[in-house]
Amino acid sequence: MSKSAILLVGGMGTRLHPITLNIPKPMLPVAGIPFTEHQIVKAREAGIDEIVLATSFKAELFEPYFGNGKNFGISIRYAVEETPLGTGGAIRNAAKMLSGDGLVAIFNGDVLSGHDLEGQFKFHQEKGADVSLFLTQVSDARSFGAVELDNENRVLAFNEKMENPPTNIINAGCYIFNKEILDKIPEGKVVSVERETFPNFLSEGVRVFGFVDNSYWLDIGNPSALLQATKDLISGKAISAATPQRTKGAVILPGAVVDPSAKVINGSVIGANCRVGARAVIDNSILFDGSEVGADVEISSSFVAKDFKIPSGVIGISNFFGF
């Protein structure tokens, strides 16, 4: 049976302002490469042979990088929303571009996960499910959609972002659908898959199951989480086959020049063609391509915009240079 995927990459990324004013969140570098690349490679590694990127905000920036997917070992197509359709509407819009007739995995475009995607496909088939949700456990579920299960892991209820959630098991942002079930989502309308589609499925008797996996999981929707994801991939706490080669706890991309007396530490990334001056300290920070850091600069938990130059002697913590 063929495996296809839809990747939801149309969000505005408002929690990541000012970084996302000109770059869509899924194209932000995480451990040195666009976050979407990590997800595409995860899909490929699980045996998925085609993926549709459901784009909206800054849609024109995806195809020049990913093309038709040939360089990534997977077929890639693009579904562009002229006006945002919500998560459910985006899924329905992108589904029209799938050529396969087998199972379809849906990925949220802002979740770094180490969960067993192949295991989720197997679980889906063993349960005879129509839809299977990847679920994970968190210490505090108030900011997430809490999901109630029966003893067979069939979903009983969805509870979206409430003060006293009945469970700490949450919707973790990766779903598997039988392809024909996608037709139940209204076409051309704004639909939330979390608030409308899934509850409607339960009332209609659709077989919805929860695949619980407590592997690494992180929503990268804010600046500190973006840095954490990069740090975790570089340290090996999180695993992605797409992560570039690391050197002494950092990623230094081609063309970058780092003075031998400088320190690049704690999961930092030095982008392509960057310059880092003498005695500079780059700690848990991301330098976008072409940026420069002068001598004796010390930055921590910060971002440096593409081609921006930090003059010598600057000290910055949790800063956004050049954005």
Side-chain angles (χ1 to χ4, degrees), residues 49-61:
D49 50 30
E50 68 165 348
I51 189 165
V52 176
L53 303 191
T55 65
S56 180
F57 176 65
K58 300 288 183 181
E60 69 279 2
L61 297 181

Side-chain angles (χ1 to χ4, degrees), residues 38-187:
H38 290 287
Q39 294 186 297
I40 287 172
V41 170
K42 182 179 179 72
R44 184 195 69 206
E45 296 282 297
I48 291 168
D49 50 30
E50 68 165 348
I51 189 165
V52 176
L53 303 191
T55 65
S56 180
F57 176 65
K58 300 288 183 181
E60 69 279 2
L61 297 181
F62 290 88
E63 191 166 357
Y65 186 91
F66 293 108
N68 63 7
K70 182 179 179 181
N71 292 337
F72 300 90
I74 189 170
S75 172
I76 299 177
R77 299 184 188 88
Y78 303 85
V80 181
E81 299 163 49
E82 299 304 327
T83 57
L85 295 170
T87 49
I91 291 168
R92 185 69 171 87
N93 184 58
K96 295 182 292 186
M97 303 194 70
L98 295 171
S99 61
D101 56 4
L103 301 177
V104 182
I106 315 291
F107 296 92
N108 281 1
D110 55 5
V111 171
L112 177 61
S113 164
H115 92 282
D116 182 2
L117 182 55
E118 288 185 90
Q120 187 180 355
F121 275 111
K122 184 178 179 182
F123 170 89
H124 179 94
Q125 292 173 303
E126 288 175 346
K127 291 292 186 181
D130 295 314
V131 181
S132 297
L133 283 65
F134 160 41
L135 309 176
T136 195
Q137 292 176 293
V138 295
S139 57
D140 184 353
R142 287 177 297 177
S143 299
F144 303 99
V147 180
E148 297 176 67
L149 304 171
D150 69 11
N151 292 334
E152 299 297 319
N153 276 42
R154 188 158 180 173
V155 175
L156 298 175
F158 294 93
N159 305 274
E160 273 300 316
K161 296 180 182 176
M162 57 199 304
E163 187 57 34
N164 295 297
T167 173
N168 67 340
I169 297 174
I170 65 163
N171 175 2
C174 179
Y175 323 121
I176 294 175
F177 281 71
N178 292 345
K179 189 176 183 184
E180 64 272 13
I181 297 298
L182 295 172
D183 292 338
K184 288 181 170 289
I185 302 173
E187 186 173 0

Side-chain angles (χ1 to χ4, degrees), residues 274-308:
C274 288
R275 298 290 184 270
V276 177
R279 300 172 301 282
V281 178
I282 313 300
D283 176 12
N284 188 36
S285 297
I286 296 174
L287 276 60
F288 284 62
D289 293 352
S291 58
E292 296 185 20
V293 171
D296 300 304
V297 167
E298 296 183 20
I299 61 171
S300 176
S301 303
S302 295
F303 299 84
V304 183
K306 186 177 187 295
D307 298 327
F308 187 77

Side-chain angles (χ1 to χ4, degrees), residues 157-226:
F158 294 93
N159 305 274
E160 273 300 316
K161 296 180 182 176
M162 57 199 304
E163 187 57 34
N164 295 297
T167 173
N168 67 340
I169 297 174
I170 65 163
N171 175 2
C174 179
Y175 323 121
I176 294 175
F177 281 71
N178 292 345
K179 189 176 183 184
E180 64 272 13
I181 297 298
L182 295 172
D183 292 338
K184 288 181 170 289
I185 302 173
E187 186 173 0
K189 295 183 179 180
V190 178
V191 180
S192 166
V193 72
E194 300 88 356
R195 292 180 174 81
E196 299 172 72
T197 303
F198 290 149
N200 289 345
F201 281 176
L202 295 188
S203 65
E204 295 168 6
V206 173
R207 291 174 59 81
V208 182
F209 284 81
F211 175 75
V212 182
D213 185 322
N214 291 315
S215 303
Y216 181 96
W217 182 87
L218 183 67
D219 175 345
I220 65 155
N222 61 61
S224 63
L226 197 70

